Amino acid sequence: MEAPHSPAAETVHQPAARLTLTSPEQTQELGRRLAKLLRPGDLVLLTGELGAGKTTLARGLGEGLGVRGAVTSPTFVIARVHPSLVGGPALVHVDAYRLGGGLDEMEDLDLDVSLPESVVVVEWGDGKVEDLSEDRLHVVVHRVVGNTDDDRRRITLTGVGPRWADAGLAGLTA
């Protein structure tokens, strides 16, 4: 018997952009620049160790999108909606760290309802929300670990699906 056809198996992963940043301010600035590429319906997954800079990047996204309210970690509320102040899409900022299950557990957040008119950014979303959209942007933030004052971050951006084929991710490295 043949396995059922899965569109996810045919998903195109666009070439990644890779950057090295040396401060939280540069991470936030990357978020502001990345926000210029985002549009309603975009799903962004942020992955990285605790303290890697995921929320700092999300803060920059919020600034770049011109949304209301300070973008802070939604760890204890799971999700926050930041409406646009400039007529653009709202930012839905989700922290899936405390959620163990996949999309079924995320269903109560109604992300599938929010996605078409918002930019949905999910920290710790790998393996949990990919089924929300065949088009998504994976942002992986690596930091130097251990007892160090080294603020370097290696950021990898990988577009998944046709939406990201010509989205301009390579221009973020300039």
Side-chain angles (χ1 to χ4, degrees):
M1 177 179 241
E2 204 173 299
H5 175 69
S6 168
E10 297 176 8
T11 300
V12 177
H13 295 264
Q14 301 307 326
R18 291 180 176 82
L19 303 94
T20 299
L21 307 176
T22 59
S23 70
E25 294 78 21
Q26 286 183 347
T27 303
Q28 200 163 333
E29 174 58 27
L30 173 63
R32 287 190 289 271
R33 290 182 11 226
L34 179 58
K36 292 178 170 74
L37 302 178
L38 298 177
R39 60 186 187 209
D42 282 343
L43 174 63
V44 180
L45 300 170
L46 301 180
T47 303
E49 304 91 357
L50 283 171
K54 297 178 297 297
T55 301
T56 300
L57 185 66
R59 187 174 300 116
L61 290 171
E63 289 173 4
L65 290 170
V67 299
R68 185 180 73 208
V71 176
T72 59
S73 178
T75 298
F76 296 104
V77 294
I78 309 298
R80 283 196 174 98
V81 178
H82 298 274
S84 176
L85 294 172
V86 296
L91 172 68
V92 178
H93 185 205
V94 180
D95 188 326
Y97 183 75
R98 295 180 179 276
L99 303 176
L103 193 56
D104 290 341
E105 190 171 342
M106 301 291 284
E107 233 173 56
D108 289 340
L109 298 177
D110 286 333
L111 295 180
D112 55 333
V113 173
S114 301
L115 188 58
E117 70 273 356
S118 305
V119 171
V120 176
V121 176
V122 183
E123 296 186 33
W124 304 99
D126 280 353
K128 298 176 183 176
V129 297
E130 287 89 344
D131 287 340
L132 282 174
S133 176
E134 68 180 41
D135 294 303
R136 58 196 173 274
L137 178 63
H138 286 256
V139 180
V140 179
V141 183
H142 291 284
R143 69 175 174 91
V144 176
V145 294
N147 189 11
T148 179
D149 291 335
D150 192 338
D151 279 336
R152 279 180 299 156
R153 303 296 195 260
R154 285 188 339 270
I155 314 284
T156 304
L157 300 108
T158 305
V160 177
R163 152 69 176 107
W164 295 99
D166 296 313
L169 291 176
L172 294 172
T173 60

